[in-house]
Amino acid sequence: LTSFGNNFSINDSGNVAFVGQSSFNTDLLVANNLGNITNLSVAYPFKFKSAVQINNKNKIVAVDSVTNSSNQQDTKVRVWDFNNPTSYQDLAKGYYSIDPPGINSPNFENIYSFASINNNNQVVFTADPLGNPPSFALETPKGTVDIFGRKTFNQSVPSIQNTRPMIADDGQV
């Protein structure tokens, strides 16, 4: 490793999640309480933002980006599972798109670095709503889909600046 992200996260079992930089790649890494390091993202070309968070169920929320076929930066919020390395769940997608809405269209224009996950696997993150940048908002997934098949979100706190949100186990942001 040549450098680290700026936010490490540790759970009650002593597992530490962090972003590590090696040559041209950034990786999502977890060190267990014995000091063994697992690369959860070894098979993926994602560039991780600088902050991740691990909960007591060993779920890690991370924001990453990858250059798409239109040479744009897709940003995504994903939840990774340390109990099942290399598996993840997409929660949200961000990039500016002129394409009509559809199942693969973005939820947001941009998603920022700092996402949070609680012990009930609820996630909060900061993003620019579609068609309204720069207009920061804290977002939490609703668990439903819209008429285009995209996930829907609760816009909880419109904000005038990028924030570092946290979500408590009772869902309070």
Side-chain angles (χ1 to χ4, degrees):
L1 294 175
T2 57
S3 66
F4 299 96
N6 62 13
N7 275 32
F8 291 68
S9 178
I10 187 168
N11 68 14
D12 290 347
S13 298
N15 296 323
V16 179
F18 59 99
V19 173
Q21 174 87 32
S22 58
S23 59
F24 298 106
N25 297 324
T26 58
D27 294 310
L28 177 57
L29 305 169
V30 178
N32 67 16
N33 57 4
L34 300 174
N36 301 317
I37 296 177
T38 302
N39 183 347
L40 301 184
S41 61
V42 69
Y44 303 102
F46 310 136
K47 181 177 183 193
F48 289 90
K49 303 283 183 155
S50 60
V52 299
Q53 187 177 14
I54 188 170
N55 68 12
N56 288 333
K57 294 180 180 176
N58 289 319
K59 303 286 188 184
I60 299 109
V61 66
V63 179
D64 65 68
S65 65
V66 66
T67 303
N68 66 25
S69 59
S70 301
N71 206 29
Q72 296 173 311
Q73 287 294 311
D74 285 348
T75 53
K76 289 192 177 179
V77 176
R78 302 180 207 262
V79 174
W80 297 75
D81 188 352
F82 181 48
N83 300 317
N84 188 9
T86 72
S87 69
Y88 62 83
Q89 173 192 11
D90 286 341
L91 287 187
K93 179 179 183 179
Y95 72 88
Y96 180 73
S97 174
I98 57 172
D99 299 329
I103 191 129
N104 292 319
S105 59
N107 310 104
F108 305 98
E109 291 203 12
N110 191 27
I111 297 172
Y112 295 93
S113 297
F114 301 95
S116 177
I117 188 168
N118 67 15
N119 289 317
N120 296 313
N121 298 326
Q122 295 171 305
V123 172
V124 65
F125 56 93
T126 308
D128 288 329
L130 281 174
N132 202 19
S135 173
F136 302 108
L138 297 175
E139 306 286 345
T140 55
K142 280 186 183 176
T144 58
V145 295
D146 66 12
I147 60 171
F148 302 109
R150 294 179 301 182
K151 293 179 178 164
T152 56
F153 298 85
N154 299 305
Q155 184 172 321
S156 49
V157 181
S159 174
I160 59 169
Q161 62 183 345
N162 190 1
T163 60
R164 295 183 180 197
M166 296 294 290
I167 187 165
D169 288 343
D170 66 0
Q172 294 278 338
V173 176

